[in-house]
Amino acid sequence: MMESESQPLQDPTATAAPGEPAAGGGATPAVVPGKEFTRTCKGLVVVLIGGYVLLQLLPSSLNYLAIIPSKTIPYVWTVLTAGYIEQVLPGAIGSSLGLLFCGKDIEPVWGRKEFLKFIILVNSICGVLAFCFAIGLYYVTGKESFLVTPLSGFHGCLAGFLVALKQLLPNLELPMCFFWKIKAKWMPFFVVCFSSIMAFIVPDSINFLPTLVSGMYVSWLYLRYFQRNPLTGLKGDPSDDFSFPSLFPAAMRPVTDPVANLFDKMLCARSRPSEVALPVSDPTKASRRRERGERVLEERLSADHAGDAEAPAHGHGTAED
């Protein structure tokens, strides 16, 4: 089986609408689900499985690789390494499968460099936030367990992948069990709700909740405001389909709309006007509109140039008469 290359995906069966340029004529390619696991994802799976095996062979290495809030100040590098260390076998298997199946859809669109950049960024920020959250819980509850419990795992990045799939393939159906599937655009909200419920049922699972939530919203902030969109070439994704309220059901808009406005005021105001993406929901339509606008502009310039060339000739002929 050949390896999947990190190239933008295009649906070979897609055809252009009448009067519009074909996909191969400069229009933004349509995103379609990947079919093969990428080499990058397979390499990262080796890292995740290797981290789990290392803990089994050298249990003391957990003190130097996972975030232990009481020891993080001297071992500051753990906020960078904790995201790649799985402490239990089900976690290592689940993270590996999630990485393979999400990565095969995301990496071919973004490219290997952007894919790795996203993973490093989300894992690092999740590590910092997990440390801060554990310290906060200790001061609020007074329980020393929050200071000595090792925090690690790839689940923060997996939550970020779900947000990326919502952006790229919102109608992709993801299997939840043998007979039930859920569309990618609803997966982030489902994961937050399920994790919150489990935190009350299984108290130990509350350690995973901050990383999941922070991974989800850190990735949304990055994709919404900072990533150079590989499909449009513009910075961020201001479409309504990827707004903050779109992460929640419509009934929650009275609560989510003010939060979205706050994000826009804080982050959009710092962006240079030339770098802010056009407010469209479909990058393919935006590309086609730009191409049509460029053709109209060229035709007008050509007509103006032809008119300017005819005017002197007409004036010279009148002088001779």
Side-chain angles (χ1 to χ4, degrees):
M1 180 179 295
M2 297 180 61
E3 303 283 352
S4 176
E5 298 295 337
S6 299
Q7 298 293 336
L9 291 175
Q10 181 173 351
D11 187 352
T13 63
T15 57
E20 294 183 340
T28 306
V31 179
V32 296
K35 297 181 179 179
E36 299 177 353
F37 301 140
T38 66
R39 183 178 302 174
T40 305
C41 291
K42 293 178 181 178
L44 290 172
V45 167
V46 173
V47 173
L48 295 177
I49 299 299
Y52 170 76
V53 173
L54 177 64
L55 293 185
Q56 307 312 306
L57 298 177
L58 297 173
S60 60
S61 62
L62 184 65
N63 297 323
Y64 304 98
L65 297 175
I67 296 173
I68 302 178
S70 61
K71 300 180 180 180
T72 301
I73 297 302
Y75 303 150
V76 292
W77 63 83
T78 56
V79 298
L80 304 177
T81 59
Y84 310 96
I85 301 300
E86 292 290 349
Q87 301 180 40
V88 295
L89 183 59
I93 296 175
S95 294
S96 298
L97 293 176
L99 172 60
L100 288 173
F101 283 96
C102 292
K104 73 180 179 65
D105 295 328
I106 299 173
E107 186 191 348
V109 182
W110 288 355
R112 182 178 292 109
K113 182 178 179 181
E114 176 63 25
F115 184 69
L116 291 174
K117 175 184 174 182
F118 178 84
I119 292 175
I120 295 172
L121 177 69
V122 172
N123 267 340
S124 301
I125 297 179
C126 284
V128 174
L129 294 178
F131 166 75
C132 295
F133 192 82
I135 295 296
L137 285 176
Y138 165 71
Y139 281 111
V140 171
T141 64
K143 295 182 179 179
E144 294 187 0
S145 60
F146 290 113
L147 295 180
V148 298
T149 300
L151 305 174
S152 66
F154 198 68
H155 42 278
C157 198
L158 291 179
F161 287 160
L162 296 180
V163 177
L165 288 176
K166 169 184 169 56
Q167 180 193 37
L168 298 175
L169 296 162
N171 293 317
L172 177 67
E173 292 187 341
L174 302 176
M176 295 300 301
C177 57
F178 295 105
F179 56 88
W180 183 40
K181 295 182 178 181
I182 185 172
K183 289 186 177 181
K185 61 183 178 181
W186 298 119
M187 276 298 292
F189 178 73
F190 174 82
V191 170
V192 169
C193 291
F194 180 78
S195 302
S196 300
I197 294 173
M198 290 301 298
F200 289 98
I201 299 176
V202 183
D204 291 341
S205 65
I206 195 174
N207 294 324
F208 298 94
L209 186 60
T211 307
L212 282 171
V213 175
S214 60
M216 193 170 297
Y217 291 107
V218 165
S219 61
W220 176 81
L221 285 172
Y222 172 69
L223 297 175
R224 175 72 170 179
Y225 296 104
F226 300 104
Q227 185 194 49
R228 183 67 63 177
N229 194 307
L231 298 177
T232 63
L234 301 172
K235 186 176 180 180
D237 181 358
S239 64
D240 292 338
D241 292 336
F242 197 59
S243 64
F244 183 78
S246 72
L247 298 174
F248 303 90
M252 299 181 64
R253 292 191 74 92
V255 178
T256 58
D257 281 345
V259 178
N261 293 333
L262 179 62
F263 281 135
D264 289 337
K265 289 179 180 179
M266 289 191 305
L267 300 174
C268 285
R270 298 181 181 181
S271 300
R272 291 180 293 179
S274 60
E275 292 183 338
V276 178
L278 297 176
V280 295
S281 58
D282 191 338
T284 304
K285 294 180 180 179
S287 176
R288 291 172 177 173
R289 279 198 290 266
R290 285 195 298 269
E291 291 175 357
R292 287 196 296 268
E294 291 173 358
R295 289 199 302 269
V296 171
L297 180 60
E298 291 176 358
E299 291 173 359
R300 290 180 179 177
L301 292 176
S302 299
D304 292 342
H305 180 72
D308 292 338
E310 292 176 1
H314 180 71
H316 180 70
T318 304
E320 289 180 351
D321 293 340

